[in-house]
Amino acid sequence: MFSYRHAFHAGNHADVLKHTALIAVLRHMTQKDTALNVFDTHAGAGLYRLDGDYAQTSGEAANGYLKLVEALANAAKNGTDKNAPPTHPALQDYLDLVASFNKGVSHTVYPGSPFIIHNLLQGRDRDRLKLFELHPTDAKTLRANIAQLEAGRLVTVDQEDSFEALKKFLPPPSRRALVLCDPSYEMKTDYARVVGMMTDAVKRFATGTYMVWYPIIPRPEAHDLPRKLKTLAVREGRPWLNATLTVKSSKLTTDDEGEVVRPGLPASGVFVINPPHTLKATLVGALGQAAKFLAQDKNKAFEVESGG
Ligand code: SAM
């Protein structure tokens, strides 16, 4: 069994990118009243504590969501740079949504994708959210967290291998769907399985919106993934968008004792097939600010490319 637990990583810079993009996509898709099916193929535990043991051990939120909150609060307090632009609406939307899970000014709870999606589907009784989570512990926690929502038929949790299971649900009855695919890539085979799942999904349901998160790390499979997704989109004649956020260099360094220090995750991306037409402009603005505030060295960058 795999050992990845998202609790160590919740609220990191990759979550800032992924959840800001997810919110922007869903805001657009929920403008229409027609029923929507959302599939979160790698759901995680749903809710995370930023003051708990897991998050404290890794400290990743401190360089992600929490860093963003602090930087923006400082900018507002100092108000020294009168020409500084206000927080981009999409970044503010992300921050407000996360803050709504916390009381007052505390930032101890971080919502994972299932809770972010559920939040945006509230009041839309005909929508359906299907969550897949294979890890037994996280699936159990996810079920318990979801039970508290008393969401009834709106949300279902399946402890299944989503790479295999998704096909059973496409095309959805509503003919409108978002698939979020956010694996841990703990196993090298995940990269090929993502491409396989997306190829099959787009064939079954060409007009669905598909969003894949991927790490940008020095590994051939990771490097090839967005290229393969782009080939798929172009071959099937579907519009696509690829957005990346880099917060530091990917180079190995050495510490005072000469030991090699790995940089951790320096960058990640989201690849979207059939993105809302507004997404590119939204992400250019939001990621430009996020890159500035989350930079850990001078290698900060963002890129939003699209086609089709
Ligand atoms: N999407 C979540 C979020 O944004 O809050 C984080 C998900 S985490 C990166 C990936 C999750 O996928 C892990 O909890 C892992 O246990 C689960 N997982 C790994 N392989 C899976 C598979 N084949 N099917 C379903 N879940 C899987």
Side-chain angles (χ1 to χ4, degrees):
M1 193 62 204
F2 34 67
S3 60
Y4 178 95
R5 311 295 299 282
H6 196 65
F8 286 106
H9 311 285
N12 67 1
H13 62 84
D15 269 3
V16 173
L17 164 68
K18 177 193 0 174
H19 294 154
T20 300
L22 175 64
I23 293 167
V25 168
L26 268 175
R27 285 274 182 229
H28 187 86
M29 294 186 83
T30 52
Q31 278 173 12
K32 271 194 191 160
D33 285 341
T34 347
L36 178 65
N37 283 78
V38 184
F39 300 91
D40 188 348
T41 61
H42 296 74
L47 280 177
Y48 305 96
R49 291 218 51 110
L50 297 182
D51 59 351
D53 288 347
Y54 289 110
Q56 295 279 312
T57 307
S58 65
E60 290 192 26
N63 276 320
Y65 166 70
L66 294 174
K67 190 170 181 175
L68 204 53
V69 169
E70 198 185 326
L72 289 163
N74 283 341
K77 199 161 40 178
N78 297 335
T80 41
D81 184 357
K82 293 205 167 40
N83 296 321
T87 308
H88 187 277
L91 213 47
Q92 192 62 54
D93 200 7
Y94 160 72
L95 294 168
D96 290 346
L97 197 150
V98 177
S100 72
F101 285 82
N102 290 280
K103 288 201 179 78
V105 290
S106 76
H107 296 282
T108 50
V109 176
Y110 189 86
S113 49
F115 276 72
I116 290 176
I117 298 166
H118 173 263
N119 187 287
L120 296 171
L121 298 184
Q122 271 175 45
R124 295 175 51 91
D125 297 344
R126 283 180 298 158
D127 293 351
R128 293 289 176 267
L129 169 57
K130 184 165 270 303
L131 307 168
F132 298 96
E133 173 51 51
L134 194 52
H135 195 292
T137 312
D138 279 355
K140 193 172 163 205
T141 310
L142 178 63
R143 280 211 173 91
N145 283 331
I146 291 293
Q148 289 180 30
L149 292 172
E150 297 183 355
R153 277 157 27 99
L154 175 70
V155 189
T156 48
V157 179
D158 285 6
Q159 191 192 336
E160 270 191 281
D161 177 354
S162 60
F163 288 125
E164 287 302 318
L166 180 69
K167 54 169 79 82
K168 289 188 284 191
F169 303 99
L170 297 180
S174 67
R175 311 298 292 193
R176 290 188 73 230
L178 168 66
V179 176
L180 169 66
C181 174
D182 178 28
S184 49
Y185 300 95
E186 195 180 354
M187 283 178 282
K188 218 163 65 173
T189 47
D190 277 2
Y191 295 95
R193 296 192 82 196
V194 168
V195 177
M197 180 168 86
M198 285 300 140
T199 304
D200 178 78
V202 173
K203 280 213 155 57
R204 284 173 195 273
F205 181 47
T207 55
T209 296
Y210 300 92
M211 179 171 152
V212 177
W213 177 87
Y214 61 93
I216 300 179
I217 48 175
R219 176 182 265 245
E221 295 85 357
H223 183 259
D224 284 349
L225 182 57
R227 197 178 50 75
K228 287 184 173 167
L229 292 172
K230 182 173 161 183
T231 303
L232 164 66
V234 172
R235 193 177 58 226
E236 298 295 327
R238 310 312 311 175
W240 58 272
L241 176 147
N242 186 29
T244 62
L245 176 66
T246 302
V247 299
K248 60 181 169 180
S249 162
S250 60
K251 289 205 177 77
L252 300 181
T253 50
T254 45
D255 64 14
D256 294 345
E257 272 114 49
E259 294 289 323
V260 172
V261 180
R262 297 191 177 279
L265 182 69
S268 71
V270 286
F271 194 97
V272 188
I273 299 176
N274 296 322
H277 67 276
T278 49
L279 190 61
K280 185 171 188 179
T282 301
L283 291 184
V284 166
L287 298 183
Q289 275 194 336
K292 187 176 127 197
F293 289 128
L294 297 181
Q296 292 177 39
D297 60 29
K298 62 177 175 16
N299 289 280
K300 69 173 191 302
F302 74 99
E303 206 176 334
V304 186
E305 201 196 349
S306 65

